[in-house]
Amino acid sequence: MTQSPYDPQPSPDAAGAHDPYGQDPFAHGGQPQGTPAYGSPDVAPQGSAGAPGPTPGTDLGADLGAGLRFAGTGLLRGAAALLGVGALYAVAMVVVLGVGFALTLFLSIAMVETSSSAGGDPSFGQMIVIFALCFVLVLVTGVVGALWQAGAAQAGGILAGGERPSFRQGLIGPGRVVITAVLVLVIVMIGSVLLYLPGIIAAVLLFYAIPAALRGASPGQALRESVSTATSNLGVTIVGFLITMVASSIGGTLVVGFIAVIPFTVLLQIGLYERVNGRTPSLPA
């Protein structure tokens, strides 16, 4: 059983000692006094996503089942903060993609028409500009996706604490989670450009970066923690990653499915991260 360095360490003498990085990742929704923080080891809270059963982090099937139950049930019990906000971000992404594609197409046509090369073909420099525009479009869309992921992560953290997040709480998460999501995006994009396989490897190793950041780690610490956790629990991490890929493929063909893909992925990451670190997240009744 792997123990996360981001486990909260409450102290009666110091309110700021709840988290080793000076931030309380469990104080999202004013948790009632006496209620255990989500993911507390050796606690089997009511509504638990995985109890009873094998000890968290010791059985691949049980961990996957608990993670999937947390993701599926969490989507339903936090529908406003996850699916409602997801619809808003989906519209924003469509608008960004539409406007960006139109501008890129317009500039590309204009460059081709003004090209002095034979046949009006774009020059090498113009091709570089077109490629750069496409890259910027993907990056801007990715930033919108990172904001979406951070909001879903914050909602997931509140759900894992046994409370229901509001629509507003699902709009955007902590800045460190946003930065972590952007870093993961950039690293995976660079890896994908390098013959695609490095991008897949990076996506697997950074599978837990967002949950680690949600628990209070800085972006750099979250990346390192994710790599360490993934390599120590490679089997469940690979299967979890494949599940998210299948969900993305299916969800991409349906409007409602597309709205649910990112929240489902983030909730599954949180659920598995907690399990492989020996904890079982709660869910509101």
Side-chain angles (χ1 to χ4, degrees):
M1 181 173 68
T2 306
Q3 189 69 23
S4 169
Y6 309 125
D7 284 348
Q9 302 295 329
S11 170
D13 301 321
H18 191 62
D19 182 84
Y21 298 101
Q23 302 190 32
D24 185 355
F26 311 112
H28 298 294
Q31 189 168 323
Q33 188 175 6
T35 302
Y38 89 78
S40 298
D42 304 322
V43 174
Q46 293 183 350
S48 171
T55 302
T58 63
D59 184 272
L60 187 149
D63 292 337
L64 279 174
L68 287 170
R69 285 191 294 273
F70 175 72
T73 307
L75 276 177
L76 297 177
R77 296 184 182 176
L82 294 168
L83 299 180
V85 171
L88 184 64
Y89 271 112
V91 170
M93 291 187 75
V94 169
V95 171
V96 170
L97 280 172
V99 173
F101 178 78
L103 288 175
T104 302
L105 182 63
F106 174 78
L107 291 174
S108 300
I109 293 174
M111 285 190 294
V112 169
E113 289 180 346
T114 58
S115 175
S116 58
S117 60
D121 295 329
S123 64
F124 177 76
Q126 290 171 332
M127 289 295 296
I128 294 296
V129 172
I130 294 173
F131 178 80
L133 289 173
C134 293
F135 181 82
V136 170
L137 174 60
V138 171
L139 188 60
V140 171
T141 306
V143 170
V144 176
L147 293 171
W148 187 356
Q149 287 178 298
Q154 175 158 271
I158 296 171
L159 281 167
E163 299 178 9
R164 293 178 185 266
S166 66
F167 182 90
R168 182 177 180 180
Q169 288 172 316
L171 282 174
I172 188 171
R176 65 180 183 277
V177 180
V178 176
I179 296 172
T180 300
V182 172
L183 288 175
V184 171
L185 169 70
V186 171
I187 293 171
V188 172
M189 283 179 59
I190 293 174
S192 298
V193 171
L194 302 175
L195 302 179
Y196 197 74
L197 182 58
I200 295 178
I201 295 174
V204 171
L205 293 179
L206 300 178
F207 190 74
Y208 303 111
I210 289 177
L214 183 66
R215 274 212 164 246
S218 68
Q221 291 165 334
L223 297 181
R224 292 191 294 272
E225 165 68 4
S226 179
V227 172
S228 175
T229 302
T231 52
S232 299
N233 303 274
L234 199 54
V236 68
T237 304
I238 291 176
V239 176
F241 171 75
L242 292 176
I243 290 173
T244 61
M245 292 298 97
V246 171
S248 297
S249 298
I250 297 174
T253 63
L254 304 169
V255 175
V256 176
F258 174 70
I259 292 171
V261 165
I262 285 184
F264 173 82
T265 297
V266 173
L267 289 179
L268 182 60
Q269 290 172 339
I270 292 173
L272 290 181
Y273 177 77
E274 293 301 310
R275 287 287 301 193
V276 299
N277 280 292
R279 302 180 293 263
T280 299
S282 307
L283 277 171

